[in-house]
Amino acid sequence: MTVTQTSPPIAIDEFRGEVLLPASPGYDTARRIWNGAIDRHPTCIARCTGVADVVAAVRFARENDLEIAVRGGGHNVAGTALCDHGVVIDLSEMRAVSVDPARRTAWVQGGALWGDVDHETQAHGLATTGGIIGHTGVAGLTLGGGIGFLMRKYGLAVDNLLAVEVVTAEGSVVRASADEHPDLFWALRGGGGNFGVVTAFRFSLHPVGPLVMAGPVFWAADDTTDVLRFYRDFAADAPDELGSVVRLGTVPPLPDIPEDLHWRPAIAVACCYAGAIEDGKRAVRDLRRFGTPLVDLLAPSRYAAFQGGMDDTVLHGWHYYWKATNLAGLSDAAIAVIADHAYAARSARSYAAMFHMGGAVARVPYDATAYAGRDVAHNIIIDAVWLPDESGTHGATEPAWARRFLQALEPHRAGVYVNFLDADDRSGRVREAYGDRIYRRLAEVKAAYDPENAFHHNTNIRPVSS
Ligand SMILES: Cc1cc2nc3c(=O)[nH]c(=O)nc-3n(C[C@H](O)[C@H](O)[C@H](O)COP(=O)(O)OP(=O)(O)OC[C@H]3O[C@@H](n4cnc5c(N)ncnc54)[C@H](O)[C@@H]3O)c2cc1C
């Protein structure tokens, strides 16, 4: 296809999708991603319709020595889905999900969102571990590991990966699985977008729902220390079926929550029990009885609806800045730091979220995949959020809050989840995310599949030099 709005025209041989140039209608919309603070101007955005388009776009970029960025769901907080002056290989039109209910597997295209996967798999009463926000991309989330409510029962997203179809830096299409290109398959399960453009993922699925015992319980922020001390023991004793995430910030203005509570500082524990409703009720009973909740929304819920329940609390176009760390445990000292800092942000939209790890995640051997954080108990993300027109008041204060919070957690840190790294972490903290051994092995696979580091708009692994 040739597009001629600018001079010189850009012609991508064998490309059937849309090629958006700066003068094309829709270019400015297409270069927007989830984090509204990211403002980049690619030379062109190649909207792929299928594998052949991805091959054409990769070859075009390589032959013309252009930068390459790959866009899946566009949620990476650092904006790695976009580059300036290069080609964005945009998979946002490739969102098909094809379920094989008899085999309990699904093929998912590289631009799909988790809401697409939950929607299609739940039609068969099935699900796999995915993110906790429906508009997050499957690709970036899975390639970094993939944590979510089902992980303690069914493992990380990468633990459910059976095969991956990839377009390599040379523009070849390869299938990676335990039997085909096993080195590449290992690296793709945690090593991020370093090894090629993934056009499709094959996941294993499990019976989940459609009704599950799920939802958040909120307490006033003043109760944070007590709630976290209780939660530490509650989570440690929880069955694998029970996934939980603690959210510290304000009560979001969701339709199910009484209006007089909206924006009030609060701690919430959101749970999802991947099993029978009655067992789920028993598993969360003590949590619901603890202290004096402001509101308790734990109830039998449709799994897919629960997964999308918080989507409106982190909308596209707002400005975001993240800091994150894994926590070895929740000591009283760590809890004190969290209680001191969690509510010190100025923006009512800023919050911290803490994922309970363990269970099936911890039972996979350390070097079975490239995901390195299997032995940690909790993983906390500090999410500074402000509206675009609040940049004058919050654009500096919110990131400063996140950095202070992380700094205070220093004695309790135990690595970091690669998908939670922001732009200013990418030079120093990539090795922290992987550790030396896994990083070294990733660098060797990188040298085999992308020796010139064509795919570097990501949490980059540098190829080992031969
Ligand atoms: C609101 C929100 C909620 C989140 N919740 C969770 C959660 O519950 N669990 C969790 O684990 N993480 C979560 N994350 C983090 C998430 O895993 C990362 O932001 C991830 O990068 C998102 O992937 P994406 O495809 O949407 O992003 P993108 O920005 O499109 O891509 C991220 C990276 O992956 C690369 N990439 C994208 N698509 C492909 C592809 N098809 N082939 C090769 N490389 C590709 C990109 O080049 C980029 O470097 C969340 C993020 C947000 C913003």
Side-chain angles (χ1 to χ4, degrees), residues 253-268:
L254 295 173
D256 291 347
I257 301 180
E259 265 184 53
D260 60 317
L261 295 178
H262 291 180
W263 303 118
R264 190 169 155 177
I267 177 171

Side-chain angles (χ1 to χ4, degrees), residues 33-34 69-77 79-82 89 91 109-113 130-133 135-149 166 188 192-201 314 320 322 351 355 381 383 417 419-420 457-459:
I33 53 172
W34 174 76
V70 182
R71 179 192 172 126
H75 264 46
N76 185 272
V77 70
T80 50
L82 292 182
I89 300 179
L91 276 72
Q109 278 191 307
L113 308 182
I132 65 169
I133 298 289
H135 48 73
T136 308
V138 171
L141 184 142
T142 301
L143 293 170
I147 64 176
F149 282 108
V166 193
L188 288 165
N194 278 285
F195 307 95
V197 185
V198 176
T199 48
F201 298 85
V314 278
Y320 298 93
W322 286 0
Y351 65 94
F355 291 72
I381 176 166
D383 194 345
Y417 176 32
N419 274 352
F420 289 168
H457 284 277
N458 46 43
T459 309

Side-chain angles (χ1 to χ4, degrees), residues 172-190:
S172 319
V173 185
V174 301
R175 181 75 68 91
S177 68
D179 305 320
E180 297 168 276
H181 300 281
D183 54 341
L184 178 60
F185 189 52
W186 174 86
L188 288 165
R189 286 175 293 159

Side-chain angles (χ1 to χ4, degrees), residues 54-63 68 89 166-174 184 193-198 445-456:
V54 175
V55 170
V58 169
R59 288 189 176 157
F60 169 80
R62 299 300 312 275
E63 280 158 16
I68 298 174
I89 300 179
V166 193
V167 175
T168 66
E170 286 177 347
S172 319
V173 185
V174 301
L184 178 60
N194 278 285
F195 307 95
V197 185
V198 176
V445 181
K446 178 80 171 173
Y449 289 90
D450 183 17
E452 289 166 25
N453 206 2
F455 298 112
H456 63 258

